[in-house]
PDB file of all heavy atoms in Angstrom:
ATOM      1  N   GLY W1234       3.078-167.774 -51.116  1.00 96.00           N
ATOM      2  CA  GLY W1234       1.761-168.019 -50.402  1.00 96.00           C
ATOM      3  C   GLY W1234       1.590-167.095 -49.235  1.00 96.00           C
ATOM      4  O   GLY W1234       2.510-166.316 -48.896  1.00 96.00           O
ATOM      5  N   THR W1235       0.348-167.100 -48.681  1.00 95.00           N
ATOM      6  CA  THR W1235       0.103-166.251 -47.484  1.00 95.00           C
ATOM      7  C   THR W1235       0.232-167.151 -46.176  1.00 95.00           C
ATOM      8  O   THR W1235       0.405-166.543 -45.196  1.00 95.00           O
ATOM      9  CB  THR W1235      -1.229-165.667 -47.499  1.00 95.00           C
ATOM     10  OG1 THR W1235      -2.237-166.688 -47.670  1.00 95.00           O
ATOM     11  CG2 THR W1235      -1.373-164.752 -48.748  1.00 95.00           C
ATOM     12  N   SER W1236       0.176-168.415 -46.371  1.00 95.00           N
ATOM     13  CA  SER W1236       0.272-169.430 -45.297  1.00 95.00           C
ATOM     14  C   SER W1236       0.362-170.735 -45.882  1.00 95.00           C
ATOM     15  O   SER W1236       0.193-170.959 -47.083  1.00 95.00           O
ATOM     16  CB  SER W1236      -0.886-169.293 -44.316  1.00 95.00           C
ATOM     17  OG  SER W1236      -2.069-169.817 -44.950  1.00 95.00           O
ATOM     18  N   SER W1237       0.571-171.773 -45.012  1.00 94.00           N
ATOM     19  CA  SER W1237       0.489-173.152 -45.603  1.00 94.00           C
ATOM     20  C   SER W1237      -0.824-173.589 -45.838  1.00 94.00           C
ATOM     21  O   SER W1237      -0.944-174.639 -46.582  1.00 94.00           O
ATOM     22  CB  SER W1237       1.155-174.059 -44.448  1.00 94.00           C
ATOM     23  OG  SER W1237       2.494-173.951 -44.303  1.00 94.00           O
ATOM     24  N   GLN W1238      -1.808-172.744 -45.507  1.00 94.00           N
ATOM     25  CA  GLN W1238      -3.180-173.072 -46.067  1.00 94.00           C
ATOM     26  C   GLN W1238      -3.612-172.380 -47.340  1.00 94.00           C
ATOM     27  O   GLN W1238      -4.645-172.434 -47.796  1.00 94.00           O
ATOM     28  CB  GLN W1238      -4.193-172.692 -44.983  1.00 94.00           C
ATOM     29  CG  GLN W1238      -4.145-173.510 -43.696  1.00 94.00           C
ATOM     30  CD  GLN W1238      -2.952-173.464 -42.938  1.00 94.00           C
ATOM     31  OE1 GLN W1238      -2.632-172.419 -42.553  1.00 94.00           O
ATOM     32  NE2 GLN W1238      -2.365-174.585 -42.443  1.00 94.00           N
ATOM     33  N   ASN W1239      -2.509-171.663 -47.890  1.00 94.00           N
ATOM     34  CA  ASN W1239      -2.777-170.900 -49.103  1.00 94.00           C
ATOM     35  C   ASN W1239      -1.363-170.806 -49.767  1.00 94.00           C
ATOM     36  O   ASN W1239      -0.867-169.682 -49.906  1.00 94.00           O
ATOM     37  CB  ASN W1239      -3.401-169.411 -48.918  1.00 94.00           C
ATOM     38  CG  ASN W1239      -3.816-168.837 -50.165  1.00 94.00           C
ATOM     39  OD1 ASN W1239      -4.127-169.470 -51.218  1.00 94.00           O
ATOM     40  ND2 ASN W1239      -3.746-167.628 -50.153  1.00 94.00           N
ATOM     41  N   LEU W1240      -0.877-171.892 -50.352  1.00 95.00           N
ATOM     42  CA  LEU W1240       0.424-171.876 -50.952  1.00 95.00           C
ATOM     43  C   LEU W1240       0.256-172.256 -52.360  1.00 95.00           C
ATOM     44  O   LEU W1240      -0.293-173.254 -52.810  1.00 95.00           O
ATOM     45  CB  LEU W1240       1.287-172.944 -50.330  1.00 95.00           C
ATOM     46  CG  LEU W1240       2.738-173.193 -50.777  1.00 95.00           C
ATOM     47  CD1 LEU W1240       3.591-172.006 -50.562  1.00 95.00           C
ATOM     48  CD2 LEU W1240       3.252-174.526 -50.005  1.00 95.00           C
ATOM     49  N   TYR W1241       1.029-171.569 -53.215  1.00 96.00           N
ATOM     50  CA  TYR W1241       1.152-171.873 -54.610  1.00 96.00           C
ATOM     51  C   TYR W1241       2.559-172.276 -54.995  1.00 96.00           C
ATOM     52  O   TYR W1241       3.513-171.707 -54.622  1.00 96.00           O
ATOM     53  CB  TYR W1241       0.757-170.573 -55.497  1.00 96.00           C
ATOM     54  CG  TYR W1241      -0.654-170.175 -55.450  1.00 96.00           C
ATOM     55  CD1 TYR W1241      -1.174-169.392 -54.454  1.00 96.00           C
ATOM     56  CD2 TYR W1241      -1.526-170.553 -56.428  1.00 96.00           C
ATOM     57  CE1 TYR W1241      -2.495-169.054 -54.280  1.00 96.00           C
ATOM     58  CE2 TYR W1241      -2.917-170.240 -56.288  1.00 96.00           C
ATOM     59  CZ  TYR W1241      -3.374-169.517 -55.304  1.00 96.00           C
ATOM     60  OH  TYR W1241      -4.682-169.168 -55.262  1.00 96.00           O
ATOM     61  N   CYS W1242       2.608-173.293 -55.902  1.00 94.00           N
ATOM     62  CA  CYS W1242       3.813-173.869 -56.362  1.00 94.00           C
ATOM     63  C   CYS W1242       3.733-173.828 -57.976  1.00 94.00           C
ATOM     64  O   CYS W1242       2.724-174.335 -58.495  1.00 94.00           O
ATOM     65  CB  CYS W1242       4.036-175.296 -55.975  1.00 94.00           C
ATOM     66  SG  CYS W1242       3.919-175.566 -54.139  1.00 94.00           S
ATOM     67  N   VAL W1243       4.686-173.363 -58.581  1.00 95.00           N
ATOM     68  CA  VAL W1243       4.759-173.187 -60.077  1.00 95.00           C
ATOM     69  C   VAL W1243       5.969-173.701 -60.673  1.00 95.00           C
ATOM     70  O   VAL W1243       6.991-173.867 -59.921  1.00 95.00           O
ATOM     71  CB  VAL W1243       4.567-171.661 -60.485  1.00 95.00           C
ATOM     72  CG1 VAL W1243       3.257-171.119 -59.902  1.00 95.00           C
ATOM     73  CG2 VAL W1243       5.768-170.825 -60.177  1.00 95.00           C
ATOM     74  N   GLY W1244       6.040-174.026 -61.927  1.00 93.00           N
ATOM     75  CA  GLY W1244       7.239-174.575 -62.469  1.00 93.00           C
ATOM     76  C   GLY W1244       7.020-174.994 -63.977  1.00 93.00           C
ATOM     77  O   GLY W1244       6.414-174.247 -64.733  1.00 93.00           O
ATOM     78  N   LEU W1245       7.691-176.008 -64.344  1.00 91.00           N
ATOM     79  CA  LEU W1245       7.926-176.395 -65.797  1.00 91.00           C
ATOM     80  C   LEU W1245       6.601-176.771 -66.487  1.00 91.00           C
ATOM     81  O   LEU W1245       5.644-177.209 -65.822  1.00 91.00           O
ATOM     82  CB  LEU W1245       8.799-177.554 -65.989  1.00 91.00           C
ATOM     83  CG  LEU W1245      10.208-177.355 -65.238  1.00 91.00           C
ATOM     84  CD1 LEU W1245      11.219-178.638 -65.359  1.00 91.00           C
ATOM     85  CD2 LEU W1245      10.915-176.104 -65.617  1.00 91.00           C
ATOM     86  N   ASN W1246       6.549-176.537 -67.773  1.00 90.00           N
ATOM     87  CA  ASN W1246       5.352-176.918 -68.619  1.00 90.00           C
ATOM     88  C   ASN W1246       4.065-176.324 -68.218  1.00 90.00           C
ATOM     89  O   ASN W1246       3.022-176.986 -68.184  1.00 90.00           O
ATOM     90  CB  ASN W1246       5.289-178.422 -68.667  1.00 90.00           C
ATOM     91  CG  ASN W1246       6.642-179.059 -69.198  1.00 90.00           C
ATOM     92  OD1 ASN W1246       7.116-178.567 -70.216  1.00 90.00           O
ATOM     93  ND2 ASN W1246       7.121-180.073 -68.519  1.00 90.00           N
ATOM     94  N   GLY W1247       4.122-175.105 -67.582  1.00 93.00           N
ATOM     95  CA  GLY W1247       2.870-174.426 -67.215  1.00 93.00           C
ATOM     96  C   GLY W1247       2.222-175.056 -65.789  1.00 93.00           C
ATOM     97  O   GLY W1247       1.038-174.788 -65.616  1.00 93.00           O
ATOM     98  N   ALA W1248       2.994-175.670 -65.026  1.00 92.00           N
ATOM     99  CA  ALA W1248       2.546-176.266 -63.924  1.00 92.00           C
ATOM    100  C   ALA W1248       2.160-175.255 -62.728  1.00 92.00           C
ATOM    101  O   ALA W1248       3.009-174.502 -62.359  1.00 92.00           O
ATOM    102  CB  ALA W1248       3.460-177.386 -63.279  1.00 92.00           C
ATOM    103  N   ILE W1249       0.987-175.434 -62.192  1.00 94.00           N
ATOM    104  CA  ILE W1249       0.605-174.695 -60.980  1.00 94.00           C
ATOM    105  C   ILE W1249      -0.212-175.502 -60.129  1.00 94.00           C
ATOM    106  O   ILE W1249      -1.039-176.146 -60.433  1.00 94.00           O
ATOM    107  CB  ILE W1249      -0.248-173.439 -61.417  1.00 94.00           C
ATOM    108  CG1 ILE W1249       0.294-172.489 -62.355  1.00 94.00           C
ATOM    109  CG2 ILE W1249      -0.584-172.710 -60.087  1.00 94.00           C
ATOM    110  CD1 ILE W1249      -0.518-171.431 -62.874  1.00 94.00           C
ATOM    111  N   TYR W1250       0.304-175.566 -58.760  1.00 92.00           N
ATOM    112  CA  TYR W1250      -0.407-176.413 -57.723  1.00 92.00           C
ATOM    113  C   TYR W1250      -0.846-175.440 -56.667  1.00 92.00           C
ATOM    114  O   TYR W1250      -0.019-174.523 -56.277  1.00 92.00           O
ATOM    115  CB  TYR W1250       0.461-177.431 -57.082  1.00 92.00           C
ATOM    116  CG  TYR W1250       0.927-178.563 -58.197  1.00 92.00           C
ATOM    117  CD1 TYR W1250       2.322-178.639 -58.573  1.00 92.00           C
ATOM    118  CD2 TYR W1250      -0.038-179.454 -58.751  1.00 92.00           C
ATOM    119  CE1 TYR W1250       2.644-179.476 -59.621  1.00 92.00           C
ATOM    120  CE2 TYR W1250       0.509-180.350 -59.730  1.00 92.00           C
ATOM    121  CZ  TYR W1250       1.791-180.448 -60.080  1.00 92.00           C
ATOM    122  OH  TYR W1250       2.175-181.341 -61.066  1.00 92.00           O
ATOM    123  N   HIS W1251      -1.875-175.581 -56.124  1.00 93.00           N
ATOM    124  CA  HIS W1251      -2.413-174.916 -54.850  1.00 93.00           C
ATOM    125  C   HIS W1251      -2.647-175.803 -53.716  1.00 93.00           C
ATOM    126  O   HIS W1251      -3.311-176.871 -53.837  1.00 93.00           O
ATOM    127  CB  HIS W1251      -3.644-174.122 -55.201  1.00 93.00           C
ATOM    128  CG  HIS W1251      -4.199-173.378 -53.901  1.00 93.00           C
ATOM    129  ND1 HIS W1251      -5.364-173.742 -53.257  1.00 93.00           N
ATOM    130  CD2 HIS W1251      -3.730-172.255 -53.392  1.00 93.00           C
ATOM    131  CE1 HIS W1251      -5.532-172.829 -52.320  1.00 93.00           C
ATOM    132  NE2 HIS W1251      -4.574-171.897 -52.371  1.00 93.00           N
ATOM    133  N   HIS W1252      -2.022-175.479 -52.594  1.00 91.00           N
ATOM    134  CA  HIS W1252      -2.255-176.192 -51.333  1.00 91.00           C
ATOM    135  C   HIS W1252      -3.097-175.507 -50.322  1.00 91.00           C
ATOM    136  O   HIS W1252      -2.833-174.303 -50.042  1.00 91.00           O
ATOM    137  CB  HIS W1252      -0.769-176.448 -50.653  1.00 91.00           C
ATOM    138  CG  HIS W1252      -0.891-177.342 -49.428  1.00 91.00           C
ATOM    139  ND1 HIS W1252      -1.525-178.544 -49.487  1.00 91.00           N
ATOM    140  CD2 HIS W1252      -0.388-177.184 -48.249  1.00 91.00           C
ATOM    141  CE1 HIS W1252      -1.454-179.108 -48.357  1.00 91.00           C
ATOM    142  NE2 HIS W1252      -0.686-178.253 -47.441  1.00 91.00           N
ATOM    143  N   SER W1253      -4.138-176.148 -49.928  1.00 91.00           N
ATOM    144  CA  SER W1253      -5.124-175.389 -49.116  1.00 91.00           C
ATOM    145  C   SER W1253      -4.930-175.700 -47.623  1.00 91.00           C
ATOM    146  O   SER W1253      -5.623-175.354 -46.702  1.00 91.00           O
ATOM    147  CB  SER W1253      -6.550-175.845 -49.423  1.00 91.00           C
ATOM    148  OG  SER W1253      -6.791-177.198 -49.096  1.00 91.00           O
ATOM    149  N   GLY W1254      -3.960-176.582 -47.352  1.00 88.00           N
ATOM    150  CA  GLY W1254      -3.556-177.025 -45.956  1.00 88.00           C
ATOM    151  C   GLY W1254      -3.908-178.405 -45.698  1.00 88.00           C
ATOM    152  O   GLY W1254      -3.298-179.106 -44.858  1.00 88.00           O
ATOM    153  N   THR W1255      -4.970-178.935 -46.455  1.00 85.00           N
ATOM    154  CA  THR W1255      -5.297-180.304 -46.376  1.00 85.00           C
ATOM    155  C   THR W1255      -5.332-181.111 -47.696  1.00 85.00           C
ATOM    156  O   THR W1255      -5.135-182.146 -47.753  1.00 85.00           O
ATOM    157  CB  THR W1255      -6.685-180.416 -45.654  1.00 85.00           C
ATOM    158  OG1 THR W1255      -7.686-179.707 -46.445  1.00 85.00           O
ATOM    159  CG2 THR W1255      -6.740-179.908 -44.315  1.00 85.00           C
ATOM    160  N   THR W1256      -5.639-180.344 -48.741  1.00 85.00           N
ATOM    161  CA  THR W1256      -5.689-180.845 -50.099  1.00 85.00           C
ATOM    162  C   THR W1256      -4.793-180.059 -51.102  1.00 85.00           C
ATOM    163  O   THR W1256      -4.462-178.856 -50.913  1.00 85.00           O
ATOM    164  CB  THR W1256      -7.016-180.953 -50.535  1.00 85.00           C
ATOM    165  OG1 THR W1256      -7.542-179.682 -50.745  1.00 85.00           O
ATOM    166  CG2 THR W1256      -7.922-181.904 -49.604  1.00 85.00           C
ATOM    167  N   TRP W1257      -4.466-180.703 -52.227  1.00 88.00           N
ATOM    168  CA  TRP W1257      -3.670-180.141 -53.262  1.00 88.00           C
ATOM    169  C   TRP W1257      -4.736-180.006 -54.538  1.00 88.00           C
ATOM    170  O   TRP W1257      -5.618-180.875 -54.659  1.00 88.00           O
ATOM    171  CB  TRP W1257      -2.592-180.995 -53.756  1.00 88.00           C
ATOM    172  CG  TRP W1257      -1.362-180.919 -52.794  1.00 88.00           C
ATOM    173  CD1 TRP W1257      -1.109-181.745 -51.684  1.00 88.00           C
ATOM    174  CD2 TRP W1257      -0.415-179.907 -52.750  1.00 88.00           C
ATOM    175  NE1 TRP W1257       0.003-181.322 -51.141  1.00 88.00           N
ATOM    176  CE2 TRP W1257       0.471-180.181 -51.663  1.00 88.00           C
ATOM    177  CE3 TRP W1257      -0.134-178.801 -53.522  1.00 88.00           C
ATOM    178  CZ2 TRP W1257       1.663-179.506 -51.340  1.00 88.00           C
ATOM    179  CZ3 TRP W1257       1.078-178.055 -53.254  1.00 88.00           C
ATOM    180  CH2 TRP W1257       1.935-178.365 -52.189  1.00 88.00           C
TER     181      TRP W1257
END
């Protein structure tokens, strides 16, 4: 990510989560 307000998490079974700082 570029910051905790723009964080990407990826993993098993095609999972992608994005964190905006307040919400997922």
Side-chain angles (χ1 to χ4, degrees):
T1235 58
S1236 69
S1237 286
Q1238 287 72 47
N1239 185 32
L1240 176 67
Y1241 288 84
C1242 306
V1243 304
L1245 307 183
N1246 303 312
I1249 303 176
Y1250 300 110
H1251 177 253
H1252 184 52
S1253 66
T1255 55
T1256 61
W1257 287 93

